[in-house]
Amino acid sequence: MSYQHQYIDGTRIHFPLGKVVCIGRNYAEHAKELNNPVPTEPLLFIKPGSCVVGLEGGFSIPLDRGSVHYEAEIAVLIGKPLSRTPNEEEVLDAISGFAPSLDLTLRDVQSKLKDKGHPWEIAKSFDGACVLAPFVPGDAISDLAAIGIRLTINGEVRQDGSSADMIFPIVAVIQAMAGHFNLQPGDVILTGTPVGVGPLNQGDELVLELPGHSSFASQVL
Ligand code: ZN
């Protein structure tokens, strides 16, 4: 079944699925774990809507292209157009929801591309590379600097971060993105992953959470 945005109560969100705009290396400890420098300006990339799948019911990963890493990230659903560099109030007004998500990455493929100085597209935009959970309504979370993101795999907590530790806070990330790409209702922002990334395997049992707001069990099929 094709993906459609929805809220945690099952209500469908009638925005078309758009693009997924992402930031890399937005937590210093994660940048270090992959031996990447901590960026001085946002490192942005886009996943196409075609790679988005829902978290619930399980999801598949490529089995023939090397290591597939999970990156648990706070996802933000955009509900109003944003372009140029919007002010903070405009950004906050445009946020329709928050969800935990997985930015799946073909890490071996990405490492080879990075070594050659080539774009990452095939490591980040393959079918199924963005796994989205249902959204908590935007007005349910007021403090954007204190949103947790936690991933548990087979009973072990692997990532447990907070937006408090982001190098570029959520509003600044969206402002930077809108300065380069106009954002439309139905677009999704991935805000970077905290420390603790690692490989996924078939059969893994996952719990992906915005602690205190939403929690979802899933598995790698
Ligand atoms: Zn990521």
Side-chain angles (χ1 to χ4, degrees), residues 22-24 45 71 73 103 105 124 190 192-193:
C22 310
I23 179 168
F45 60 98
E71 297 185 357
E73 310 202 4
D103 166 16
T105 305
K124 284 284 194 183
L190 299 192
T193 196

Side-chain angles (χ1 to χ4, degrees), residues 141-213:
I141 298 180
S142 52
D143 186 358
L144 272 57
I147 306 175
I149 175 75
R150 184 188 297 146
L151 173 64
T152 304
I153 301 180
N154 302 327
E156 185 183 326
V157 175
R158 299 290 185 85
Q159 291 188 279
D160 193 4
S162 166
S163 59
D165 298 323
M166 289 178 176
I167 297 168
F168 303 100
I170 290 175
V171 169
V173 167
I174 296 173
Q175 285 174 318
M177 290 171 170
H180 291 282
F181 320 109
N182 73 72
L183 301 177
Q184 296 295 329
D187 285 350
V188 174
I189 307 304
L190 299 192
T191 56
T193 196
V195 70
V197 301
L200 276 181
N201 296 292
Q202 250 186 324
D204 281 347
E205 301 278 347
L206 282 66
V207 178
L208 187 58
E209 302 170 83
L210 298 184
H213 299 290

